Amino acid sequence: MKNPILTNLAYFDVFQHPLKEEELLWEENDRASFNQLKSLINQQKCYSYKAHYSIQPAIKKLVEEREVKENRAEQYFKKLPFFTKIIKRFPFVRGIAISGSLSKGVMHSDGDIDYFIITSKNRLWICRTLLILFKKLVLLNSRKYFCINYLVDEDNLEIIDKNIFTAVEVSYLMPVYNRELIDKLKEKNNWSKKLYISSGNRKKVKCFEGESRIKSIAEQLINLLGADQLDLFFMKLTFKRWSKKFKHFNAQKLELTMRTNRGVSKHHPNDFQTKVLEEYQKRLNKLSIKNEDTAFA
């Protein structure tokens, strides 16, 4: 990565998200990176306002907008423990992290809380089905504080799609249940550090630990009902429904956006990842930076 500061700024410019100094310096009192940052400002390759940085000259407006989003995010952070405690009580949930906008400390006016969930092996689809039923029946299908769109099981911690988008999301995952397992997932995806380097200075939130006895009893009862067959049934049922709903997707796009296998459930029908990567490439072109890091072999 030839200039990680500039490429990081270019990536987050896709989201109109100026970065703070501590989000750009790899270590506290990192003089080398700090001097590089100042050099980029002198060359007018990036701009500064209130200790925020962006490749956009109109940075003042972006910083003000970020501050509004940060204030809005605080209201979501207040709700987060309540909903985390609900999700962690569901059978076969083993770890929970926050991804998306909230993991970066901001929230858009139409945003929601994105949960990245790790389940027990071969129990992902039972877990997901129960969570979705709860969202539909109890929360009246509201996803504002309960967006369940990415689940993996304990045997599938390595993210298949290796690019700058997934590298950033892995780096910013915010543990809220079972920190040890979320840390294990990050270690499993150590490849991300070749695509994205960050100091990791982010807001700290409460991370819950431990299992409840009621949850353990529920899992035992489900296992007695033939959980392996039930999990496979829910997976096939979901895939059939998604294939019909998104029949206009070719096989490659369906796999990328609606991944459905025994250890992974990915529900991203808007293909946000591809759109972000395309916009990022445009910024790299404008900055005359060769893109050798957005795809990982």
Side-chain angles (χ1 to χ4, degrees), residues 195-210:
L195 302 185
Y196 176 72
I197 304 173
S198 171
S199 62
N201 293 325
R202 290 178 287 278
K203 181 182 177 69
K204 305 299 181 183
V205 297
K206 181 176 178 58
C207 186
F208 295 91
E209 304 293 339

Side-chain angles (χ1 to χ4, degrees), residues 124-186:
L124 183 152
W125 293 97
I126 294 175
C127 181
R128 184 188 183 279
T129 301
L130 293 173
L131 288 166
I132 295 301
L133 285 174
F134 176 83
K135 179 172 76 81
K136 289 181 179 295
L137 300 178
V138 179
L139 301 181
L140 303 179
N141 212 30
S142 171
R143 53 184 289 163
K144 185 174 182 179
Y145 303 112
F146 205 88
C147 185
I148 310 295
N149 57 21
Y150 209 137
L151 299 89
V152 300
D153 73 18
E154 292 174 305
D155 272 13
N156 288 271
L157 298 182
E158 184 173 358
I159 305 301
I160 297 174
D161 309 306
K162 295 177 173 61
N163 53 57
I164 184 66
F165 179 86
T166 52
V168 170
E169 290 306 307
V170 167
S171 174
Y172 273 88
L173 281 177
M174 183 181 289
V176 291
Y177 173 53
N178 196 345
R179 184 183 303 276
E180 183 178 350
L181 186 54
I182 302 303
D183 287 344
K184 182 179 178 182
L185 179 140
K186 291 190 176 188

Side-chain angles (χ1 to χ4, degrees), residues 57-71:
I59 185 174
K60 181 176 183 292
K61 180 181 178 182
L62 295 179
V63 172
E64 291 171 347
E65 290 174 350
R66 172 167 175 166
E67 290 172 344
V68 171
K69 294 172 187 174
E70 286 176 336
N71 290 333

